Amino acid sequence: MSFKRVKIPLKSQLKIVAVACLILSVLEVINIVTGRSLNSYGLIPRDTATGWIGIFTSPFLHGSLLHFFSNIVPFAIFSVLVLQHGLLRYIVVTVVCILLSGALVWGLGRPGVHVGASGLIYGYFGFLLLAGIFSREIKLILISIFVGISYGGLIFGVLPGVPYISWESHLFGLLAGFLCAWLWAHEKKKKK
């Protein structure tokens, strides 16, 4: 399946990211006001009753305000950088990373409630690391180098460590991002 890169203006990119961040922020406020009741829609591995719903909802929920803020900043930065690959690729990478990482966490993750946008963020991270190199376009290669140097420490988040952090979401998000880069980043920008 082909997803040609069609450039959109920076102003439009910033509007898209602002709307996405606004949606996440509104959901966070609702979650705070309701005593984190929305987290009952988090991802619960291998729960066939309702836990699978979290595949779709968990990236929009967070366990605390600190968790939210630690995700919203890299989400915004990485979103702008992924949008350099075009709007359609941004949408496809977002959907694939959410669904693939969520499905893998549901099937293979530790018991517990998994919430947070970090699976998606790691998906963007994985995509950005490889997509520029696969594209062979200078601007996108520079983005890959920038992400590797500035955010390379994220790679340690895929290792098991802290019990309440879903390293599984990080790992499967990263792998989903790598897959997206391998599948679509080599396609050149559409000529006008």
Side-chain angles (χ1 to χ4, degrees), residues 14-166:
L14 295 177
K15 283 182 184 177
I16 291 164
V17 174
V19 168
C21 289
L22 180 63
I23 291 168
L24 288 172
S25 299
V26 167
L27 288 170
E28 178 62 14
V29 169
I30 293 169
N31 210 6
I32 290 170
V33 170
T34 61
R36 299 270 170 218
S37 66
L38 293 180
N39 287 357
S40 63
Y41 297 102
L43 193 158
I44 303 170
R46 293 167 299 288
D47 179 345
T48 56
T50 58
W52 62 270
I53 292 170
I55 293 171
F56 307 99
T57 58
S58 64
F60 305 101
L61 307 171
H62 292 88
S64 69
L65 203 52
L66 179 62
H67 185 206
F68 171 76
F69 283 120
S70 69
N71 278 336
I72 196 75
V73 173
F75 170 78
I77 293 168
F78 287 173
S79 289
V80 170
L81 296 175
V82 174
L83 278 164
Q84 302 313 301
H85 292 265
L87 179 59
L88 184 57
R89 285 194 195 170
Y90 174 74
I91 293 168
V92 170
V93 168
T94 300
V95 169
V96 168
C97 287
I98 287 173
L99 295 180
L100 184 56
S101 66
L104 288 169
V105 170
W106 185 85
L108 302 170
R110 291 171 293 160
V113 180
H114 296 253
V115 293
S118 57
L120 176 59
I121 291 165
Y122 270 80
Y124 288 163
F125 174 63
F127 177 80
L128 290 166
L129 280 177
L130 297 182
I133 294 154
F134 289 160
S135 74
R136 290 181 265 153
E137 293 183 39
I138 296 298
K139 174 184 172 184
L140 301 179
I141 291 170
L142 291 173
I143 289 172
S144 289
I145 293 168
F146 167 76
V147 168
I149 291 170
S150 301
Y151 292 95
L154 284 178
I155 201 71
F156 296 109
V158 303
L159 302 173
V162 183
Y164 58 88
I165 293 179
S166 179

